Amino acid sequence: MKSTVPVSEQQREDGAQLPEGPREEAWGRTPAPEGAQRHASDDAPGLPRHDLSAHAEGTRWLGMVLGLAAWTMFFVSLTFAVGWYRMREPWPPLPFSPLLLAAPGLFLVAGSVVLHRSRRSAPLRRLVTALVLGGGFVAMQAGLTHVAWWNHQLRIPQDGVPASAYYGLTGLHVLHVLAVLAGVFLSAVRLWRGTEVRDAVRRHAPGWHFVTAMWLLLFLAVYLP
């Protein structure tokens, strides 16, 4: 008796490997656990197979949003305190031109664009580009603080609140950038090994946008004379 099951379905039940589409090749894929082939076949061909349930992914997104909201309120509170101080006391300019202080921020802005576009095509190459841009930002910020401390003698506590705000907020912001870079680096390594990372990159992108927005706030509140 001739089977009425379509050839593609029969191949899936026999454990035949499903065809891989361009998106699956770009984002990597997670090996299907034993006994899960039937469930994986429900996905449309060419789409990545998610190893996380929708509930777990929603929980991670909620945690990320709450964390970013908390850190946003923290940074805004600190910059508001700086603004309040600037209205009461003179704020001496930093020993750098505003253009030089703005240069590191361009790395963050470019990284935001690259990370956002990585969700569409060539994710590994774009993740590596974002890592290079983030490393450039950290290097420039470290260089500026080094020159300010050793070459221009901008010291704590001798130079008061402006110096403390510059070093303290710059260091705190760089720590957040390093945390985002660590997440992007781990995603790049997992993608290079063939693991699905699209959801992880989608969660890293808001973190990068957050540090970019906070740097702009820092520039306006602390760096400008």
Side-chain angles (χ1 to χ4, degrees):
M1 179 178 181
K2 185 177 180 180
S3 175
T4 58
V5 179
V7 176
S8 58
E9 288 293 335
Q10 186 68 52
Q11 290 176 344
R12 292 187 181 111
E13 292 180 356
D14 294 341
Q17 186 175 5
L18 295 175
E20 299 178 0
R23 290 173 61 82
E24 188 172 11
E25 293 176 355
W27 283 104
R29 54 189 172 88
T30 303
E34 185 177 357
Q37 292 184 358
R38 181 79 178 180
H39 175 72
S41 66
D42 295 334
D43 294 335
L47 293 180
R49 302 170 183 172
H50 298 280
D51 60 341
L52 299 175
S53 65
H55 178 74
E57 183 62 20
T59 302
R60 292 187 177 186
W61 266 96
L62 178 61
M64 180 204 66
V65 170
L66 293 178
L68 292 181
W71 280 112
T72 300
M73 290 188 289
F74 179 67
F75 267 99
V76 170
S77 300
L78 291 177
T79 52
F80 178 80
V82 172
W84 179 82
Y85 179 86
R86 295 185 64 157
M87 290 187 297
R88 299 170 58 89
E89 301 290 340
W91 190 265
L94 293 172
F96 305 108
S97 67
L99 290 179
L100 183 58
L101 290 169
L106 299 179
F107 287 87
L108 286 183
V109 174
S112 289
V113 175
V114 170
L115 200 60
H116 179 75
R117 297 183 64 180
S118 68
R119 298 183 300 178
R120 300 178 180 177
S121 63
L124 182 58
R125 178 167 56 85
R126 296 187 188 279
L127 288 180
V128 173
T129 303
L131 288 173
V132 172
L133 292 172
F137 170 81
V138 174
M140 287 201 68
Q141 290 291 73
L144 289 175
T145 53
H146 176 83
V147 172
W149 182 274
W150 293 107
N151 294 49
H152 297 280
Q153 305 298 318
L154 184 65
R155 299 296 175 85
I156 299 174
Q158 292 86 344
D159 293 301
V161 173
S164 299
Y166 172 67
Y167 289 117
L169 291 179
T170 299
L172 185 63
H173 180 260
V174 167
L175 288 178
H176 284 75
V177 174
L178 289 176
V180 175
L181 288 178
V184 175
F185 174 76
L186 291 178
S187 295
V189 172
R190 291 177 58 202
L191 180 59
W192 179 69
R193 292 179 176 178
T195 305
E196 163 67 36
V197 296
R198 182 171 62 176
D199 292 335
V201 173
R202 290 178 61 189
R203 292 192 299 271
H204 295 321
W208 194 294
H209 302 330
F210 160 76
V211 294
T212 303
M214 292 303 104
W215 175 87
L216 179 60
L217 190 63
L218 185 65
F219 179 79
L220 296 175
V222 179
Y223 295 167
L224 288 181

